[in-house]
Amino acid sequence: MSGTDDTPAALGPALELPFADLVEDAPFAVLAIDEDSTIRYANGAVAGLLGHDPEELVGDPLFRVIPERLRTAHTGAFERYLETGESHLDWNHIELPALHRAGHEVPVSIAIRETPIDGETLYTGIFTDNSRPTRLQERIEASIDALHELYVVASNATLSFETRREKILELGCQYLDLPYGFVTEIDPTTQRIVAAVGDHESLSAGAQCPIEESYCRKTIQQDEPLAINDAVAEGWETDAAYQRFDFDCYIGGTITVGGEMYGTLCFADTHCREHEFSDAEHAFVKLLVQWISHELTTTSFQTKLRELNETAKRLMSAPSKSQVASVAIESARSILNMPIAGVWWYDDDTDALVPECMTEQAGEYIDEQPTFTDGAALAWDAFTTGETQVYDDLRTVSGIYNEETVLRSEVIIPLGDYGIMTTGSTDQRAFSETDLKL
């Protein structure tokens, strides 16, 4: 077994863990090791608890966080477990000191689970600080099995997204001891139920209601989950949401896709709770929200890629530059939801970028597409450098063509030696990382 000293030689590589997105911002520390006691994953909370940069720990022996006097015992106990499958400790709750980067010891509680990943088995430990008892620590033992089941569901690539989503809702209901779980999609005026578990007449998939009659209108206004323990006592009795759904307790968080609000993930009951939602329950709901946000973002990205691939085929078969431009800006509008867009082609005779076409909505803000020449605009810089230019706030940028523009953000995409396409928005920072990758 490796990991018997502090030298990180010939140790295993980091892995893309299926649950990394779920626990990266969790309020408890997570370490995953392989059978050689090599650290393969560490989440952000490790820094606060043990003082280590998580990225620096990956690839190092677990001994980095074990006091020297306990290292021989760890090695012996772990080897015996690998040989026999038997542990003499309760893996649900182990109290031991951990070694802080500064050299002092930190009393911790550890819960351990085996996690199969890509043909090998990792051992995932969830660490909480025993020096400062909290409600999170008191509930963490009850969370371990739910977290492990969450990992199992999240990493099961054989299940469809819809099946995993249903299992996640069922898991949340079981853990929170609430009968109803549901996912919504929200636009400025309407809440639509996308998926639901539990027998509630207003929660069937496809059911809609005005946003002002939903609990979720409050959820999407805050960063942390919205929790209601006793709706009547908390002033919801006359609220339109209470009148429609009759939820006496509720907890829900905001789902984002590509950095944009998509809807909510919620759990509820028509009976009030005897106690408040705990820190651990809040943390668990946040993990579920992170998972579904990640999955929906990935799905959205893949769908857009497929549509863009189809667009590329259309572009290759377009008989004229005019039709190529039309296909390009229509794709920006319909696939990428960028309704303000235009295309310019480079004209060798005039050494300028001359306008070809723009979307109808762009025409609402631009009377006439200008011609861009050397040094006259940001567009020319993108064309000559061949690099996409992103401007989050045009008011802070010098050298823009029209200083009176109502656009606040802009992306300029060079089209090789042929020209450029631009897309803009009247909002600042309107383009997500997903948009830019596409």
Side-chain angles (χ1 to χ4, degrees):
M1 173 182 286
S2 64
T4 56
D5 55 44
D6 292 320
T7 304
L11 297 176
L15 293 178
E16 280 294 324
L17 302 182
F19 55 80
D21 292 301
L22 305 175
V23 298
E24 182 55 38
D25 298 320
F28 44 79
V30 177
L31 289 174
I33 64 170
D34 60 21
E35 293 185 351
D36 292 327
S37 285
T38 301
I39 298 171
R40 307 294 288 278
Y41 172 78
N43 77 338
V46 168
L49 181 63
L50 301 177
H52 291 278
D53 183 327
E55 293 184 0
E56 293 179 357
L57 275 182
V58 173
D60 280 0
L62 186 63
F63 281 179
R64 290 285 302 278
V65 299
I66 300 178
E68 186 173 357
R69 72 179 192 280
L70 298 178
R71 294 174 183 175
T72 300
H74 162 75
T75 300
F78 196 39
E79 286 180 341
R80 284 194 300 274
Y81 177 79
L82 293 176
E83 292 172 1
T84 67
E86 297 180 358
S87 173
H88 296 293
L89 296 174
D90 178 6
W91 278 19
N92 288 317
H93 185 90
I94 302 171
E95 293 190 3
L96 288 171
L99 182 63
H100 194 276
R101 187 174 186 274
H104 61 272
E105 295 184 0
V106 178
V108 296
S109 291
I110 311 169
I112 303 172
R113 285 294 184 275
E114 292 188 18
T115 311
I117 303 289
D118 293 340
E120 67 174 308
T121 299
L122 298 188
Y123 299 85
T124 304
I126 298 173
F127 294 68
T128 54
D129 188 350
N130 269 354
S131 65
R132 293 173 297 179
T134 64
R135 286 185 296 167
L136 172 60
Q137 180 183 319
E138 293 169 6
R139 284 297 309 275
I140 199 68
E141 290 181 53
S143 304
I144 300 306
D145 287 332
L147 285 169
H148 183 251
E149 182 64 22
L150 179 56
Y151 300 159
V152 171
V153 171
S155 61
N156 191 343
T158 66
L159 300 177
S160 68
F161 166 69
E162 290 76 17
T163 299
R164 286 184 291 161
R165 181 179 61 195
E166 182 178 357
K167 288 182 176 294
I168 289 295
L169 288 173
E170 292 172 347
L171 178 62
C173 287
Q174 178 182 351
Y175 175 68
L176 298 168
D177 193 25
L178 298 174
Y180 310 121
F182 55 101
V183 174
T184 74
E185 184 177 12
I186 292 174
D187 63 30
T189 62
T190 307
Q191 170 187 283
R192 183 175 70 88
I193 304 298
V194 176
V197 297
D199 185 18
H200 189 289
E201 61 182 8
S202 297
L203 294 180
S204 58
Q208 299 183 9
C209 75
I211 186 63
E212 62 268 18
E213 296 181 13
S214 72
Y215 289 78
C216 299
R217 75 183 193 277
K218 300 284 189 180
T219 305
I220 60 177
Q221 294 175 0
Q222 58 187 56
D223 295 330
E224 295 297 313
L226 171 67
I228 302 168
N229 304 301
D230 185 337
V232 173
E234 296 175 41
W236 285 80
E237 188 172 15
T238 60
D239 192 281
Y242 186 80
Q243 299 298 321
R244 172 179 282 273
F245 291 98
D246 195 32
F247 292 151
D248 277 298
C249 78
Y250 165 100
I251 185 168
T254 302
I255 298 168
T256 58
V257 175
E260 301 293 328
M261 190 277 293
Y262 168 88
T264 58
L265 173 68
C266 316
F267 300 92
D269 194 353
T270 53
H271 298 90
C272 61
R273 273 195 144 204
E274 295 181 358
H275 52 82
E276 294 183 353
F277 288 99
S278 68
D279 292 347
E281 289 170 329
H282 274 262
F284 191 72
V285 170
K286 288 175 68 175
L287 292 183
L288 300 187
V289 169
Q290 288 173 21
W291 176 81
I292 199 167
S293 294
H294 173 75
E295 289 293 310
L296 286 172
T297 297
T298 300
T299 301
S300 174
F301 185 81
Q302 292 172 341
T303 299
K304 288 180 179 180
L305 274 181
R306 286 194 296 270
E307 293 174 345
L308 287 174
N309 285 335
E310 291 299 318
T311 297
K313 295 177 183 177
R314 292 171 58 198
L315 289 173
M316 293 174 65
S317 62
S320 67
K321 291 174 69 174
S322 176
Q323 287 181 293
V324 168
S326 295
V327 171
I329 64 170
E330 173 57 23
S331 297
R333 185 196 65 78
S334 62
I335 299 175
L336 301 178
N337 193 28
M338 298 175 178
I340 303 175
V343 169
W344 284 254
W345 296 128
Y346 175 68
D347 180 68
D348 192 50
D349 293 334
T350 60
D351 190 28
L353 291 167
V354 297
E356 175 61 42
C357 61
M358 61 182 175
T359 58
E360 182 178 345
Q361 188 165 340
E364 298 176 8
Y365 302 100
I366 303 170
D367 293 334
E368 183 178 353
Q369 275 185 275
T371 296
F372 299 131
T373 55
D374 188 1
L378 303 175
W380 188 265
D381 295 337
F383 174 66
T384 56
T385 62
E387 297 179 356
T388 298
Q389 304 295 320
V390 181
Y391 302 99
D392 288 329
D393 188 351
L394 289 171
R395 291 174 296 183
T396 66
V397 178
S398 59
I400 63 176
Y401 182 82
N402 177 14
E403 294 185 354
E404 303 300 321
T405 181
V406 296
L407 300 182
R408 291 293 173 258
S409 54
E410 184 176 40
V411 177
I412 307 173
I413 306 161
L415 303 175
D417 296 330
Y418 300 103
I420 62 164
M421 182 173 78
T422 72
T423 181
S425 173
T426 55
D427 297 324
Q428 295 181 44
R429 298 178 179 84
F431 303 103
S432 69
E433 289 297 321
T434 300
D435 294 331
L436 298 177
K437 287 178 183 177
L438 288 167

